[in-house]
Amino acid sequence: FRRVLFRSLQFGSVPVGQLQMQAVLVRNQTDTAVQLEALPLDPTGPFSLLSALPMLPPHGAQELQVRFLPTTEFTFEEHLVVCAAGTTLRAALQGRGVAPTLEVRGEQAEDGKTEKELPVVEIGAAETTLLHLGDCLVGDEARAAVDILNTSQFALRLLLPSLASGHASLGPLPPLDVSPTEATVGAGKRLRVHARFAPDHAGEDFFELLKVEVPGLEPEGGQTIMLRGRAWACSPYVLTDRKSVV
């Protein structure tokens, strides 16, 4: 086993809460087996070794898997120190945690230049984007769409879980739903989310509150979308005084 100079492991910018792996190859160039040992990394930090260090056979090699999992927006640096047979090997670990950013926008037109305006309303102390699907007869459907724009410099995996809902259907299907509920959105790209309102009974309090969630981030805060709709049993009409009919 001889002295080897590790290059620094540059993890670059990684979204907070997401995992990135890199490997370091260690080779035993002696005729005897050696046991690898390492100084412990900061247990509260973002860097860690994924498995126990092995015994290297004569002229054997082993990859050490290093994990970087940032939990805050910060630039991190630490040193991996591996020892064997009186030789100390060092590797600088560097990475930056970056918070993802996204926006809920109105549906973009085909020309890519204009988009529908969506109101923002307050629910409690938080703001949410409102997508109102309007009035609908029982048994009919209403559809609308909203865009989620990934303004980060990296791809994001998004989930759309439900936080709260209003009237439920009498049948097995929900009155309000969206598609997709999970997707990966490229940097600077839009995700078109399609919403459907299909009531099976009349009511004015149909709603669904959705959270735009990035897995791995703290659940507090973040963007939300409120879907709303009203359902009627029949269409209104106006009766005219018979005397006024010619």
Side-chain angles (χ1 to χ4, degrees):
F1 197 93
R2 70 178 184 180
R3 183 178 299 276
V4 177
L5 296 178
F6 288 173
R7 293 186 304 175
S8 63
L9 291 185
Q10 299 286 344
F11 289 86
S13 296
V14 177
V16 171
Q18 296 192 22
L19 172 69
Q20 189 173 99
M21 302 284 299
Q22 288 203 37
V24 175
L25 180 67
V26 180
R27 186 180 301 277
N28 179 11
Q29 295 186 345
T30 71
D31 296 327
T32 59
V34 294
Q35 174 64 51
L36 296 182
E37 297 179 351
L39 297 181
L41 295 169
D42 182 358
T44 63
F47 299 106
S48 60
L49 282 172
L50 282 191
S51 58
L53 295 177
M55 172 78 73
L56 284 184
H59 304 286
Q62 178 70 41
E63 282 190 341
L64 306 183
Q65 298 291 332
V66 183
R67 182 181 74 168
F68 179 51
L69 180 62
T71 56
T72 58
E73 192 173 9
F74 192 72
T75 299
F76 299 91
E77 182 172 353
E78 200 169 347
H79 288 85
L80 173 65
V81 181
V82 180
C83 305
T87 300
T88 300
L89 314 174
R90 295 178 179 271
L93 311 177
Q94 297 176 337
R96 176 174 178 78
V98 292
T101 56
L102 53 86
E103 297 176 2
V104 178
R105 309 283 287 270
E107 183 179 3
Q108 189 178 54
E110 292 183 0
D111 59 12
K113 298 179 181 179
T114 60
E115 61 184 35
K116 294 181 180 179
E117 292 187 6
L118 294 179
V120 176
V121 297
E122 286 191 1
I123 299 180
E127 293 185 341
T128 185
T129 301
L130 175 63
L131 181 62
H132 206 304
L133 285 85
D135 297 282
C136 184
L137 288 176
V138 172
D140 286 349
E141 284 189 4
R143 295 179 179 269
V146 64
D147 288 350
I148 300 176
L149 174 62
N150 178 12
T151 53
S152 308
Q153 297 181 352
F154 41 81
L156 286 178
R157 179 170 169 258
L158 302 179
L159 305 176
L160 290 173
S162 175
L163 298 179
S165 58
H167 284 325
S169 293
L170 300 177
L173 298 178
L176 286 158
D177 58 44
V178 296
S179 178
T181 57
E182 179 178 350
T184 298
V185 188
K189 302 297 183 181
R190 287 176 178 250
L191 172 68
R192 176 67 47 84
V193 178
H194 298 274
R196 183 183 68 95
F197 178 42
D200 64 359
H201 66 281
E204 299 185 43
D205 196 26
F206 290 98
F207 74 86
E208 195 78 29
L209 180 62
L210 304 172
K211 180 176 177 60
V212 184
E213 181 178 300
V214 179
L217 290 186
E218 294 295 329
E220 293 79 11
Q223 302 268 1
T224 55
I225 302 171
M226 170 68 82
L227 308 178
R228 292 198 69 95
R230 293 187 295 261
W232 307 95
C234 59
S235 299
Y237 57 92
V238 177
L239 291 177
T240 304
D241 185 356
R242 181 176 298 180
K243 292 182 181 180
S244 65
V245 178
V246 179

